[in-house]
Amino acid sequence: MVGTPLLLLVFKRSSLSLSLFLAAIGIGLLFFSDPYLRLFAIVLISGGISIAGYLIRFEAAETSSGASYNKIAVNAGSIMSGLWLLMLMNDKSLFINISIVLLGTMALLAARKKRKESLIINSKLTSNPRVILGWIFLSIAIGIKMYSLYSLLPQYLLFHFRALPSWYGFMLTVNGLVIIFLQIPIMKLITKSTKNNSPLKITFIIMCLGMLLLTSLSLPVFTSFTSVLLWVVLLSLVECAVSYLDVEGVKMKSLFIKELFIGVGGGVCVLCSRLFSAHIASLATGCLGILAMIIAILFLFPLLKNSNASNVR
């Protein structure tokens, strides 16, 4: 992610196709057994995919519908990748070859598509310190929510069942399916009113409710398949609402900050799950998320009070 501005500066419209090609080259290097080549391969894959993901999200998030479809595609890809790995787990060569062909094809398609120069120009970061700080804390909160499904929930289930239930994987699939089928309806509900930054305010309220949902894991009430399923579905609905922040991130020239600091929030979530017991970790993480949301609101909303988010620079 840190290399994205440099790549945009040097390669401009070709940045997306180049990042996909780099990821394809990295996957090809996995054929070699040399540890240094494999390390280089990991760098190329992670760097290429991260940069490509950001650039695709940036272009898609110019509209709320684009942000919705991007979110749907990401979750559909997650479900398909699980099935793909399951089918090709015992055939490493076929898995690598198909991955190279897939990424190479995407890179060629991206190279043929004429990108608007305005996308490159608008990718510059905001210089407003209040906006920067607001999005840093907002992104940390997003990261906490995003990683909770993979960090806090397994810890909670291990504590209560002494082993991770076989249906935990099913919960991850449910998360993806809820987002795929309900992303667009929820986005339409959020963006129905555009007065007084209503979509952003609604999203903030939903995010705060999501943090309260995280703290609820501190209570021993989610001890059955049905109750955990309800928790996952509610958290997935919050995830659908959070997609609107991609749109606001582009408007405020802060999408790069968002993508960069989501990882920090994820690190906070994982750290809490390692330092504390299951119930304390959920309570601490949820409270930290609420605190990050309050700080973000204090920085951002005074700027939005008498103007539209699109005018904040």
Side-chain angles (χ1 to χ4, degrees), residues 37-111:
L37 275 178
R38 283 180 171 271
L39 179 62
F40 184 53
I42 292 171
V43 171
L44 289 179
I45 294 169
S46 58
I49 293 297
S50 296
I51 293 172
Y54 165 73
L55 294 175
I56 292 170
R57 186 185 296 264
F58 180 86
E59 187 167 346
E62 282 202 314
T63 63
S64 58
S65 60
S68 296
Y69 286 123
N70 180 67
K71 192 71 173 182
I72 291 171
V74 169
N75 282 273
S78 297
I79 294 173
M80 290 175 63
S81 65
L83 296 174
W84 192 1
L85 282 170
L86 182 64
M87 292 185 292
L88 303 177
M89 185 66 73
N90 297 322
D91 196 336
K92 172 186 171 183
S93 297
L94 182 60
F95 179 81
I96 292 176
N97 284 324
I98 292 177
S99 300
I100 292 173
V101 171
L102 181 62
L103 284 171
T105 302
M106 290 172 61
L108 290 174
L109 291 173

Side-chain angles (χ1 to χ4, degrees), residues 238-274:
V238 175
E239 180 72 19
C240 292
V242 170
S243 298
Y244 177 75
L245 294 177
D246 290 346
V247 180
E248 291 295 339
V250 171
K251 289 180 180 179
M252 298 189 201
K253 297 183 182 294
S254 303
L255 187 62
F256 181 74
I257 297 172
K258 171 182 174 288
E259 296 300 306
L260 200 60
F261 281 90
I262 280 177
V264 176
V268 170
C269 186
V270 173
L271 183 63
C272 286
S273 69
R274 296 296 180 270

Side-chain angles (χ1 to χ4, degrees), residues 6-310:
L6 178 62
L7 199 69
L8 281 171
L9 181 65
V10 176
F11 296 99
K12 296 183 171 27
R13 300 178 183 179
S14 302
S15 299
L16 177 57
S17 56
L18 178 62
S19 60
L20 290 168
F21 272 125
L22 290 176
I25 292 171
I27 291 177
L29 292 177
L30 293 177
F31 276 117
F32 299 94
S33 57
D34 183 84
Y36 293 104
L37 275 178
R38 283 180 171 271
L39 179 62
F40 184 53
I42 292 171
V43 171
L44 289 179
I45 294 169
S46 58
I49 293 297
S50 296
I51 293 172
Y54 165 73
L55 294 175
I56 292 170
R57 186 185 296 264
F58 180 86
E59 187 167 346
E62 282 202 314
T63 63
S64 58
S65 60
S68 296
Y69 286 123
N70 180 67
K71 192 71 173 182
I72 291 171
V74 169
N75 282 273
S78 297
I79 294 173
M80 290 175 63
S81 65
L83 296 174
W84 192 1
L85 282 170
L86 182 64
M87 292 185 292
L88 303 177
M89 185 66 73
N90 297 322
D91 196 336
K92 172 186 171 183
S93 297
L94 182 60
F95 179 81
I96 292 176
N97 284 324
I98 292 177
S99 300
I100 292 173
V101 171
L102 181 62
L103 284 171
T105 302
M106 290 172 61
L108 290 174
L109 291 173
R112 293 185 63 181
K113 186 179 186 298
K114 293 183 179 181
R115 326 209 86 72
K116 293 184 292 185
E117 189 68 29
S118 61
L119 288 176
I120 308 301
I121 296 172
N122 291 338
S123 64
K124 295 179 181 179
L125 293 177
T126 178
S127 59
N128 189 321
R130 291 187 68 96
V131 175
I132 293 173
L133 289 171
W135 274 92
I136 286 175
F137 284 99
L138 180 58
S139 303
I140 290 173
I142 295 171
I144 288 174
K145 183 214 64 64
M146 185 179 296
Y147 279 76
S148 61
L149 190 63
Y150 310 102
S151 182
L152 295 179
L153 182 58
Q155 183 192 26
Y156 180 87
L157 295 176
L158 283 168
F159 177 81
H160 283 283
F161 296 99
R162 305 304 175 190
L164 199 61
S166 58
W167 42 260
Y168 172 68
F170 175 75
M171 295 299 172
L172 299 183
T173 304
V174 168
N175 172 251
L177 290 174
V178 169
I179 293 172
I180 288 172
F181 288 106
L182 296 181
Q183 175 64 66
I184 293 178
I186 289 177
M187 185 70 84
K188 286 182 177 179
L189 285 174
I190 291 175
T191 57
K192 193 172 183 180
S193 174
T194 58
K195 295 180 180 179
N196 300 318
N197 301 296
S198 294
L200 187 60
K201 293 175 182 177
I202 293 171
T203 305
F204 271 46
I205 292 171
I206 294 174
M207 277 196 66
C208 289
L209 293 174
M211 294 305 164
L212 291 176
L213 188 63
L214 295 187
T215 63
S216 68
L217 279 183
S218 61
L219 304 172
V221 294
F222 299 100
T223 55
S224 67
F225 173 86
T226 304
S227 58
V228 174
L229 179 62
L230 175 62
W231 189 87
V232 170
V233 169
L234 290 174
L235 196 67
S236 301
L237 295 177
V238 175
E239 180 72 19
C240 292
V242 170
S243 298
Y244 177 75
L245 294 177
D246 290 346
V247 180
E248 291 295 339
V250 171
K251 289 180 180 179
M252 298 189 201
K253 297 183 182 294
S254 303
L255 187 62
F256 181 74
I257 297 172
K258 171 182 174 288
E259 296 300 306
L260 200 60
F261 281 90
I262 280 177
V264 176
V268 170
C269 186
V270 173
L271 183 63
C272 286
S273 69
R274 296 296 180 270
L275 291 178
F276 307 113
S277 64
H279 300 295
I280 299 299
S282 301
L283 183 61
T285 306
C287 289
L288 286 173
I290 292 172
L291 179 62
M293 286 296 303
I294 291 173
I295 295 174
I297 289 171
L298 291 175
F299 276 119
L300 293 176
F301 268 78
L303 300 174
L304 304 176
K305 188 175 182 181
N306 297 315
S307 63
N308 290 324
S310 57

